[in-house]
């Protein structure tokens, strides 16, 4: 094949991938708007609240103060987890990396467990701890766990050391959280609710906070996406491009910690969204990390919104913990993907 034809084919393929990425992004935005309308309509009082909202103050309050912020909160939390998942998988060059890989989930659980112990048991709980609250405790625990991981790994220079340190920190802090529940059984029920994840208590303030953090993380991650593109070619290749890897890798870890900590603090531990969202995007379109981060964020938002609507609708007027649905649906998808990738005739080995 002549070189001119090869170049033309490559340009055509890139243009096609750009078009697919644009169509996927547009479809995800449309799905978000449709799910927002569904989220405003689904709840323990049924669809009647939406129909009566304009003439019944109580129905309007249900829609405006409960359902809409909850649905938008699910979008924002899913967007943060999808963004964090894309960053984690690019940073560690591992398709099985998820936002909780640096110990943030275990740190958040430990923070909530300690806050519950102090709130519920100790009459000498200090005033600053009372003001901090469970949300602040979860965020502080998540960020503290990431900082502890960085300290054990002696920085971000060695990806494998950072990964192993995250696993160790997650196991240790998870054990401490279990120990707190064992010593104070009264906190077990609240801890289970946190570990299963929920959007029930998300209000407008939490929505505004998550959207603001998402915008900041999105801008920073998009600006640093060239580092992820370079790392996908190998450490040596990325270094040969003249990129200041330690500083940029540190900034990406900060984005990962901030996005994950914010989402976990508001909604608890919601599994598989950050892991599955980038895989779903890559199964549709092959693109650079700049577009992947945006699309994975939108995909995570749609996944969590859909799971939240299903959690409220399946056994209404009761509801399921949204983390249970994301674990079942996300886990089933990844098992199917793994089976497909290692099936007879796939020729792709065991990698996802």
């Amino acid at each position: 094949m002549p070189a001119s034809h090869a170049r033309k084919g490559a340009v055509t393929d890139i243009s096609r991938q750009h078009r697919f990425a644009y169509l996927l992004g547009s479809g995800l935005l449309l799905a978000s708007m449709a799910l927002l309308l569904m989220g405003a309509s689904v709840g323990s009082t049924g669809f009647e609240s939406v129909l009566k909202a304009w003439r019944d103050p109580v129905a309007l309050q249900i829609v405006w103060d409960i359902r809409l912020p909850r649905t938008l909160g699910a979008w924002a939390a899913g967007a943060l987890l999808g963004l964090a998942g894309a960053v984690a998988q690019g940073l560690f060059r591992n398709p099985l990396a998820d936002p909780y890989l640096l110990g943030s989930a275990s740190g958040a659980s430990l923070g909530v467990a300690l806050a519950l112990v102090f709130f519920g048991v100790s009459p000498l709980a200090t005033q600053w701890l009372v003001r901090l609250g469970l949300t602040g405790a979860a965020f502080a625990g998540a960020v503290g766990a990431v900082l502890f991981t960085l300290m054990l790994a002696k920085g971000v220079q060695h990806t494998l050391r950072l990964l192993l340190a995250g696993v160790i920190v997650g196991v240790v802090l998870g054990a401490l959280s279990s120990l707190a529940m064992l010593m104070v059984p009264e906190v077990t029920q609240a801890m289970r609710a946190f570990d299963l994840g929920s959007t029930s208590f998300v209000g407008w303030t939490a929505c505004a906070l998550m959207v603001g953090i998402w915008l900041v993380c999105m801008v920073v991650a998009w600006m640093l996406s060239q580092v992820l593109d370079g790392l996908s070619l190998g450490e040596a290749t990325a270094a040969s491009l003249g990129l200041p890897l330690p500083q940029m890798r540190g900034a990406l870890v900060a984005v990962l910690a901030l996005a994950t900590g914010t989402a976990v603090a508001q909604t608890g531990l919601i599994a598989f969204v950050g892991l599955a969202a980038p895989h779903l995007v890559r199964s549709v379109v092959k693109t650079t990390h700049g577009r992947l981060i945006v699309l994975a964020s939108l995909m995570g938002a749609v996944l969590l919104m859909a799971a939240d609507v299903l959690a409220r609708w399946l056994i209404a007027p009761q509801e399921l913990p949204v983390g249970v649905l994301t674990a079942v649906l996300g886990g089933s998808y990844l098992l199917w993907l793994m089976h497909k990738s290692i099936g007879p005739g796939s020729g792709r080995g065991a990698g996802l």
Side-chain angles (χ1 to χ4, degrees), residues 225-244:
S225 60
Q226 59 178 332
V227 181
L228 300 177
D229 290 334
L231 287 174
S232 66
L233 302 175
E235 294 271 351
T237 303
S240 69
L241 295 175
L243 299 173

Side-chain angles (χ1 to χ4, degrees), residues 337-349:
L337 190 64
M338 183 182 297
H339 174 75
K340 180 181 177 182
S341 64
I342 64 176
S346 64
R348 291 193 292 171

Side-chain angles (χ1 to χ4, degrees), residues 40-171:
S41 305
V42 175
S44 59
T45 59
F47 295 92
E48 294 81 4
S49 295
V50 175
L51 300 176
K52 300 187 297 183
W54 305 116
R55 61 180 186 273
D56 185 349
V58 175
L60 179 61
Q61 185 177 18
I62 290 173
V63 173
W64 180 256
D65 291 335
I66 299 176
R67 293 183 182 178
L68 279 177
R70 174 177 182 167
T71 306
L72 287 173
W75 188 96
L80 285 167
L81 292 174
L83 183 153
V87 169
Q89 291 177 14
L91 185 62
F92 294 107
R93 289 179 292 158
N94 188 337
L96 294 179
D98 75 345
Y100 304 145
L101 200 58
L102 297 182
S104 56
S106 298
S109 292
L110 179 59
V112 171
L114 293 178
L116 287 170
V117 168
F118 278 103
F119 289 156
V121 175
S122 174
L124 302 177
T126 55
Q127 190 62 33
W128 69 266
L129 183 59
V130 174
R131 287 198 300 265
L132 184 63
L134 296 182
T135 298
F139 180 79
V143 174
V146 174
L147 293 177
F148 189 31
T149 298
L150 292 175
M151 183 182 69
L152 287 180
K154 299 181 180 179
V156 296
Q157 289 81 4
H158 302 285
T159 302
L160 180 58
R161 183 187 296 171
L162 185 63
L163 180 62
L164 292 176
V167 173
I168 294 170
V169 168
V171 172

Side-chain angles (χ1 to χ4, degrees), residues 22-350:
Y22 174 78
L23 290 175
L24 177 59
S26 301
L28 290 173
L29 288 174
L30 290 175
S32 297
M33 290 187 283
L35 287 168
L36 177 62
L37 293 176
M38 293 180 63
S41 305
V42 175
S44 59
T45 59
F47 295 92
E48 294 81 4
S49 295
V50 175
L51 300 176
K52 300 187 297 183
W54 305 116
R55 61 180 186 273
D56 185 349
V58 175
L60 179 61
Q61 185 177 18
I62 290 173
V63 173
W64 180 256
D65 291 335
I66 299 176
R67 293 183 182 178
L68 279 177
R70 174 177 182 167
T71 306
L72 287 173
W75 188 96
L80 285 167
L81 292 174
L83 183 153
V87 169
Q89 291 177 14
L91 185 62
F92 294 107
R93 289 179 292 158
N94 188 337
L96 294 179
D98 75 345
Y100 304 145
L101 200 58
L102 297 182
S104 56
S106 298
S109 292
L110 179 59
V112 171
L114 293 178
L116 287 170
V117 168
F118 278 103
F119 289 156
V121 175
S122 174
L124 302 177
T126 55
Q127 190 62 33
W128 69 266
L129 183 59
V130 174
R131 287 198 300 265
L132 184 63
L134 296 182
T135 298
F139 180 79
V143 174
V146 174
L147 293 177
F148 189 31
T149 298
L150 292 175
M151 183 182 69
L152 287 180
K154 299 181 180 179
V156 296
Q157 289 81 4
H158 302 285
T159 302
L160 180 58
R161 183 187 296 171
L162 185 63
L163 180 62
L164 292 176
V167 173
I168 294 170
V169 168
V171 172
V172 172
L173 297 187
L176 292 176
S177 178
S178 299
L179 180 61
M181 288 188 288
L182 182 64
M183 295 180 64
V184 187
E186 292 83 0
V187 307
T188 302
Q189 186 173 359
M191 282 302 303
R192 284 179 178 173
F194 177 82
D195 290 340
L196 291 175
S198 175
T199 59
S200 301
F201 304 105
V202 176
W204 286 115
T205 302
C207 285
L209 175 64
M210 286 192 286
V211 169
I213 296 297
W214 173 73
L215 289 173
V216 172
C217 291
M218 178 62 71
V219 170
V220 176
W222 185 82
M223 292 174 62
L224 296 175
S225 60
Q226 59 178 332
V227 181
L228 300 177
D229 290 334
L231 287 174
S232 66
L233 302 175
E235 294 271 351
T237 303
S240 69
L241 295 175
L243 299 173
L245 288 183
Q247 295 87 344
M248 289 185 168
R249 192 183 278 130
L252 287 170
V253 169
V255 168
L256 177 59
L258 182 60
T260 306
T262 303
V264 169
Q266 302 297 335
T267 61
L269 302 182
I270 295 178
F272 280 105
V273 172
L275 179 60
H279 280 290
L280 285 170
V281 172
R282 283 193 291 263
S283 68
V284 177
V285 59
K286 306 298 180 185
T287 185
T288 60
H289 278 90
R291 291 189 178 88
L292 176 64
I293 287 170
V294 177
L295 294 174
S297 185
L298 293 176
M299 182 67 77
V302 169
L303 288 177
L304 190 50
M305 284 182 81
D308 181 61
V309 171
L310 283 174
R312 285 184 271 166
W313 175 71
L314 285 176
I315 57 173
Q318 298 178 339
E319 64 177 71
L320 294 169
V322 67
V324 172
L325 279 181
T326 59
V328 171
L329 297 177
S332 299
Y333 167 73
L334 290 177
L335 286 174
W336 172 81
L337 190 64
M338 183 182 297
H339 174 75
K340 180 181 177 182
S341 64
I342 64 176
S346 64
R348 291 193 292 171

